[in-house]
Amino acid sequence: MTTLREAIVNGFTGKRIAIIGDLVADQFLGGTISRVSREAPVFILRHDETVTLPGAAANAAANVASLGGTPIPIGVVGSDDNGTRLTDALTRSGVDCSTILTDRAATTTTKVRVLAGQHYAARQQVIRIDYEGGPELSLETRKKLSLSLAAVADTLDAIIVSDYGYGAVFDEIFAEARSIAQLRSIPLVLDSRYRLSSFVGATAATPNCEEAENIVGKNFNDNNGASLRERLGCEALLVTNGNKGMSLYTSDAEPRHIDAVGSPEPVDVTGAGDTVIATFALGLASGMNFADAATIANHAGGIVVMKKRTATVTSAELLTSLDAAVAAH
Ligand SMILES: Nc1ncnc2c1ncn2[C@@H]1O[C@H](COP(=O)(O)OP(=O)(O)OP(=O)(O)O)[C@@H](O)[C@H]1O
Ligand SMILES: [Mg+2]
């Protein structure tokens, strides 16, 4: 515990983590239901506010920053309003956006959650509207992304690959990330919504249970976990499973099941996986073993699901949650 504390307090600060991936604008459009429309049998939502927050790889970057690390986002936004809103939100979160590419041909991937409420009642999500960028980036844009990665390679303490299927993670850049990680002996941590099995040889992967089942079949169990880890050529496979916590598979230890922490009633589970990969990668970059890094990532996930909207976690919150767990035992 003492060493875990030390690693969080001293080890995270200034660790340079490249996040190669799909930068998404998570938008929350809130309004009040005023009356029923005369045009159609629907409610009319009177707009109150629209908030844009870093989503997907951008959320992983924001979490690295909130934990004291130095994120280096390698990805693309479109030359549009949502791209500006997203980089503004990242900047407010303490992320330096100078490595982000603005691509005139691209649309900033934006996920709009429409939240409807009434006076004195909590807002509820009614629908989500997605504006999808990708899936293909031009050859020129991909080359620029590779160059951005190469330019920072020598300075990195870890690399995160966060692939949501919108084009920023392509085979060549993954291979480049893997070479850098091998050459410099730094961890490479992978998340891929649809193409996990295409990316072999990361240090670790952090799929959710559904993503793992898409490869190994339904009813995921420890045998599947062990064989998936081998198939992905990873030293560690960390399978997250929402309020059931997570399971860790490594070559040299028995499977390890980690119970979720915190309240059984989450406030908003959006982006918990991004917080997990950010915390796990920072843990590994600070010299933690896989089990310790997974333990703190589990706490980090449990903390952000108690916050509204896409959210970040701080080292202080992490320490409080770890202390509470120790006190409870
Ligand atoms: N309801 C919850 N209570 C406590 N912890 C939770 C809850 N939901 C998620 N977590 C924590 O967050 C981790 C990641 O959650 P989850 O498995 O939902 O990720 P995900 O599906 O990849 O999410 P994302 O939407 O970000 O892709 C879990 O392993 C757990 O540690
Ligand atoms: Mg996920």
Side-chain angles (χ1 to χ4, degrees):
M1 180 63 197
T2 324
T3 49
L4 255 192
R5 270 195 95 86
E6 271 166 22
I8 294 168
V9 174
N10 302 318
F12 285 6
T13 311
K15 285 283 178 309
R16 290 173 59 83
I17 320 270
I19 298 105
I20 305 165
D22 295 306
L23 305 171
V24 171
D26 267 357
Q27 220 162 60
F28 297 83
L29 189 161
T32 310
I33 297 287
S34 53
R35 58 190 169 84
V36 174
S37 170
R38 281 187 291 161
E39 299 164 5
V42 294
F43 291 118
I44 295 174
L45 186 76
R46 199 187 56 228
H47 179 261
D48 292 329
E49 57 167 2
T50 298
V51 176
T52 304
L53 296 172
N59 184 29
N63 273 276
V64 168
S66 65
L67 287 165
T70 303
I72 299 150
I74 311 276
V76 172
V77 295
S79 167
D80 47 27
D81 289 346
N82 286 338
T84 308
R85 291 187 185 106
L86 173 54
T87 48
D88 285 351
L90 273 169
T91 305
R92 280 196 299 277
S93 305
V95 180
D96 177 351
C97 294
S98 58
T99 49
I100 294 177
L101 220 75
T102 303
D103 182 351
R104 291 192 169 281
T107 303
T108 304
T109 302
T110 305
K111 300 183 179 178
V112 184
R113 283 94 175 169
V114 178
L115 303 166
Q118 279 174 303
H119 291 301
Y120 313 113
R123 284 184 181 143
Q124 295 204 132
Q125 192 173 144
V126 194
I127 193 169
R128 196 178 94 189
I129 305 160
D130 286 5
Y131 301 79
E132 300 199 347
E136 280 279 291
L137 295 176
S138 69
L139 188 59
E140 194 192 343
T141 301
R142 285 190 273 157
K143 276 193 181 144
K144 284 185 186 163
L145 288 176
S146 294
L147 285 174
S148 298
L149 175 63
V152 294
D154 288 347
T155 71
L156 299 176
D157 296 299
I159 304 175
I160 291 173
V161 171
S162 172
D163 171 28
Y164 278 77
Y166 299 116
V169 181
F170 45 95
D171 293 346
E172 293 82 357
I173 206 163
F174 177 77
E176 284 151 16
R178 193 177 48 201
S179 309
I180 294 165
Q182 278 164 359
L183 202 70
R184 303 208 47 247
S185 301
I186 57 171
L188 168 63
V189 188
L190 165 71
D191 217 353
S192 176
R193 185 74 99 204
Y194 308 108
R195 297 187 61 221
L196 188 63
S197 56
S198 313
F199 301 119
V200 173
T203 311
T206 61
N208 64 27
C209 195
E210 186 187 334
E211 288 155 358
E213 285 184 341
N214 286 341
I215 302 172
V216 298
K218 284 278 161 218
N219 303 318
F220 183 86
N221 59 33
D222 284 347
N223 289 335
N224 302 143
S227 61
L228 180 58
R229 184 194 65 74
E230 275 186 29
R231 181 167 161 183
L232 297 175
C234 289
E235 290 172 48
L237 175 71
L238 183 64
V239 179
T240 68
N241 198 7
N243 63 2
K244 298 194 190 70
M246 44 176 67
S247 302
L248 177 67
Y249 302 91
T250 54
S251 59
D252 54 0
E254 289 296 305
R256 190 184 182 101
H257 303 288
I258 307 171
D259 287 337
V261 295
S263 154
E265 290 290 326
V267 172
D268 192 334
V269 297
T270 312
D274 306 321
T275 298
V276 164
I277 197 169
T279 314
F280 190 59
L282 259 178
L284 297 179
S286 310
M288 288 182 199
N289 61 31
F290 291 120
D292 283 346
T295 298
I296 62 161
N298 185 56
H299 279 268
I303 293 165
V304 289
V305 298
M306 297 313 294
K307 298 184 183 183
K308 260 196 325 188
R309 304 171 178 155
T310 322
T312 55
V313 61
T314 65
S315 318
E317 289 170 326
L318 212 46
L319 292 173
T320 306
S321 180
L322 283 161
D323 287 345
V326 170
H329 270 96

